[in-house]
Amino acid sequence: MSEVLASPTLTASTPNTEPSSASNLLSTLRAYLPALLPIIGAVLLTVWCFQTGSKRFISDGALLIMALAAYLSAAIFYLTNIYAPSSTASRLGLWLTSIGAFLNLGSWGVRWIAARDREMETLLSQARPLTEMPWFFRYIPLANLYDYSIAFAFGAAITTLFIARRKSFRFLGALSLPLASLIILLAVFIGNEFINLPPILDSYWRPIHVGIASLSYGVALVCFALGVVYLLKDGVKTEAMAIWSSLFAVGVFATVSRGTVFMGAQYSASSFLINGSSRMAIPLRVELPYVGIVLLIAGLLLVGTIIAFGIYLAKNDEKARAWGHNFLRLALVAQASAIALLVTQIKSITDIAARVDPSQFTQFGKWVAEKAMGMPALEANSLPPAQTYAYGAGFVTQNAPLLKLSLNANPVELAALITAAAGTLFVLLFSFRTDRVRAALPSLERIDNMMYKTASITFALLAMLLITGAIWANESWGRYWAWDSKETGAFVAWLTYAGFLHSRISRGWTGRRSAYFALAGFLFILFTYLGVSYLLPGLHSYA
């Protein structure tokens, strides 16, 4: 009996070790706080800008530059934490990422208010009543590649933050945030001018469709980073990665400046016609001294890297490996020098007309006849060479004071050169104490599982992208699908991620095969994101 009576007492005095639902909820909210705070803060910042007015508020461009600085600083702390584990470095990386995401999304919100104020100024200048102010979807800043890039970078950062709530995955920011920074750099080079979309594109489906696209691309970027990390953890040699990054860089050098780097050791930049507040890129290129030669040297060093590492991987020749690393280091120095020369000369060169190669005048004259003189394209292309040469030479002579160079004239080329240099830099970083880097990463199973989750989300978002795009297209053009270049690119990217999931579910493919799918899918997305806008004609050429 005494035992029976004692048992409730013992039970009552025993502390309850089960965590309460309230403490579970609090713990979950605390874990997601770095991802939630940037969204809340950006909303409050946008409301503040609305109350103050965009003219008296910090510009979206300044906020974006600060976001870029925060992302790069966070990446440095994450990278430091890999080589020298420190809870302080890990927390600083996490909260700097959160600050960067806040500034990134905040710049988008401030741009939204600035677009609204621009619409209002247009109404007032035309003496129209403010009651005609269009609904808010009209000026949501998702109209061109600059807006798209801001949202793309934020999508990558917020995805990184949601994953980084797990301490073992905070390393991911060391790779995903530099990639997001490259996208922001591209946006800066493009310029933040507003554009007027054709009325046919005024639809509430535009922000829905483009917003989904930005988020899906951001998740795909993180999936790509996980694929690279998986290959590194799985023992893929950094020398093999160096071969692929060098092939990419050589491909960039071979295609920029109309292929003149390898053909003539020359690099030329596109020019702008700037007249007051109006600016227009024109198909007239100006050679930048020394840039082509330095890029050619970098390309030859990278070719040497590819050969040396190829010999090492085939024959396990340590001497070839040492030569390959030396070539790679010198190539990085040459790439950085070429980019520095390019930027400084674009900023400093003023006598544009005197530097234009007259051999361009014949082809340029066709553009002058069509765009400046209003001649039909067929008629302009059929003009005799002597006449188009005269048109081109005359245009340059008459508009010599208005011809300028600008980083905005070559955004994709410059971003590609910086990306190639970044790839070389990361290979060199991962080549340093590679065993320590691999030891700091989670297990292969955990990385593979996270890669699978992000690929699944990307697949679902790309499906929504295609569906909303088709609905918008039907509203605007009366058809759901037109095999436009950007439509086709997005469809191919979606099929790639569908192949990822199908091969995993039906064939049990995991590990390296899945990682290669993640890499290939993101490359298709990059081509859809940039290639269509600058390389291929289509209905999406505005963005």
Side-chain angles (χ1 to χ4, degrees):
M1 176 67 70
S2 60
E3 293 176 1
V4 174
L5 292 174
S7 59
T9 307
L10 290 171
T11 304
S13 62
T14 302
N16 186 10
T17 58
E18 293 289 330
S20 66
S21 57
S23 63
N24 279 335
L25 179 61
L26 188 62
S27 177
T28 302
L29 286 175
R30 189 181 297 113
Y32 283 107
L33 205 57
L36 297 176
L37 284 178
I39 300 173
I40 297 170
V43 170
L44 294 176
L45 185 71
T46 304
V47 172
W48 183 17
C49 180
F50 177 78
Q51 297 292 334
T52 307
S54 61
K55 292 291 180 65
R56 293 176 291 172
F57 207 78
I58 186 171
S59 69
D60 61 284
L63 287 169
L64 197 61
I65 293 298
M66 288 191 287
L68 173 64
Y71 286 156
L72 290 176
S73 301
I76 291 171
F77 279 112
Y78 283 133
L79 197 61
T80 302
N81 188 54
I82 291 175
Y83 286 102
S86 163
S87 59
T88 301
S90 177
R91 285 195 298 269
L92 282 172
L94 180 66
W95 287 107
L96 278 169
T97 307
S98 185
I99 292 170
F102 157 67
L103 294 166
N104 191 165
L105 185 59
S107 69
W108 186 84
V110 169
R111 184 169 173 80
W112 187 356
I113 303 304
R116 172 190 174 276
D117 293 347
R118 177 174 173 266
E119 290 272 358
M120 188 173 293
E121 285 179 2
T122 301
L123 286 179
L124 293 174
S125 66
Q126 296 173 355
R128 292 161 58 191
L130 291 180
T131 53
E132 294 184 18
M133 188 72 178
W135 193 35
F136 75 94
F137 75 81
R138 165 72 180 275
Y139 44 84
I140 287 180
L142 288 171
N144 58 17
L145 200 60
Y146 176 85
D147 305 332
Y148 200 175
S149 300
I150 295 176
F152 185 176
F154 173 74
I158 200 69
T159 304
T160 301
L161 280 170
F162 274 112
I163 294 175
R165 66 187 176 84
R166 304 180 182 184
K167 292 182 180 180
S168 58
F169 276 97
R170 288 186 185 171
F171 71 89
L172 189 59
L175 190 56
S176 64
L177 293 179
L179 292 174
S181 299
L182 287 172
I183 295 166
I184 290 179
L185 270 179
L186 175 63
V188 172
F189 295 149
I190 291 169
N192 61 351
E193 290 84 3
F194 289 102
I195 67 168
N196 294 315
L197 288 175
I200 196 172
L201 295 178
D202 272 347
S203 169
Y204 53 85
W205 284 106
R206 176 177 58 82
I208 295 172
H209 170 69
V210 182
I212 292 172
S214 304
L215 184 59
S216 65
Y217 287 10
V219 179
L221 183 150
V222 174
C223 183
F224 169 83
L226 285 165
V228 173
V229 169
Y230 184 92
L231 294 176
L232 184 66
K233 177 72 174 181
D234 198 32
V236 173
K237 292 185 177 181
T238 55
E239 290 78 13
M241 292 183 173
I243 290 176
W244 287 107
S245 68
S246 299
L247 284 171
F248 169 76
V250 170
V252 169
F253 301 161
T255 52
V256 296
S257 184
R258 299 177 179 174
T260 59
V261 172
F262 286 145
M263 298 299 294
Q266 296 177 339
Y267 179 87
S268 56
S270 297
S271 54
F272 260 115
L273 183 69
I274 301 179
N275 189 3
S277 59
S278 66
R279 46 192 289 149
M280 176 175 60
I282 60 177
L284 199 65
R285 301 185 73 98
V286 179
E287 184 184 351
L288 302 180
Y290 309 115
V291 175
I293 295 174
V294 178
L295 283 176
L296 177 60
I297 293 171
L300 294 175
L301 287 168
L302 290 171
V303 170
T305 301
I306 294 168
I307 295 171
F309 283 154
I311 294 172
Y312 162 69
L313 294 174
K315 301 181 178 180
N316 200 26
D317 187 336
E318 287 297 326
K319 185 178 290 186
R321 179 176 179 269
W323 275 105
H325 281 287
N326 289 331
F327 284 145
L328 196 62
R329 294 187 190 99
L330 291 172
L332 178 61
V333 174
Q335 287 173 274
S337 302
I339 293 169
L341 281 169
L342 189 155
V343 172
T344 54
Q345 291 189 86
I346 283 180
K347 293 289 189 181
S348 61
I349 291 177
T350 55
D351 53 336
I352 308 302
R355 294 173 177 267
V356 173
D357 184 355
S359 64
Q360 302 179 71
F361 289 161
T362 302
Q363 186 64 32
F364 178 62
K366 297 178 181 179
W367 180 89
V368 173
E370 182 182 351
K371 301 296 183 182
M373 302 172 64
M375 194 176 292
L378 188 61
E379 183 180 346
N381 288 324
S382 63
L383 290 172
Q387 189 172 355
T388 56
Y389 183 94
Y391 286 159
F395 184 92
V396 171
T397 302
Q398 294 170 13
N399 296 282
L402 304 179
L403 297 178
K404 306 291 181 183
L405 292 180
S406 171
L407 294 174
N408 298 342
N410 302 80
V412 174
E413 286 192 4
L414 186 53
L417 291 171
I418 294 174
T419 303
T424 305
L425 173 62
F426 268 100
V427 170
L428 283 171
L429 285 173
F430 290 144
S431 299
F432 176 70
R433 297 185 179 179
T434 307
D435 292 338
R436 177 173 291 187
V437 175
R438 287 177 177 144
L441 299 175
S443 66
L444 286 171
E445 292 75 16
R446 295 191 67 188
I447 300 174
D448 183 68
N449 185 49
M450 187 60 71
M451 183 168 57
Y452 171 60
K453 290 178 180 178
T454 52
S456 301
I457 295 172
T458 303
F459 171 78
L461 289 172
L462 286 175
M464 293 173 63
L465 163 72
L466 294 171
I467 293 168
T468 55
I471 295 171
W472 182 25
N474 186 57
E475 280 194 2
S476 298
W477 295 300
R479 60 179 182 271
Y480 289 101
W481 195 265
W483 292 106
D484 176 66
S485 50
K486 201 147 196 167
E487 291 175 348
T488 307
F491 182 62
V492 171
W494 177 74
L495 286 178
T496 305
Y497 286 97
F500 177 105
L501 298 179
H502 174 74
S503 63
R504 190 179 185 99
I505 294 169
S506 65
R507 303 295 298 273
W509 284 11
T510 57
R512 287 196 184 187
R513 291 173 175 177
S514 294
Y516 292 140
F517 260 118
L519 268 59
F522 186 65
L523 291 178
F524 281 122
I525 279 180
L526 276 184
F527 179 76
T528 306
Y529 163 62
L530 286 180
V532 171
S533 301
Y534 286 92
L535 301 177
L536 300 176
L539 298 171
H540 294 78
S541 58
Y542 61 91

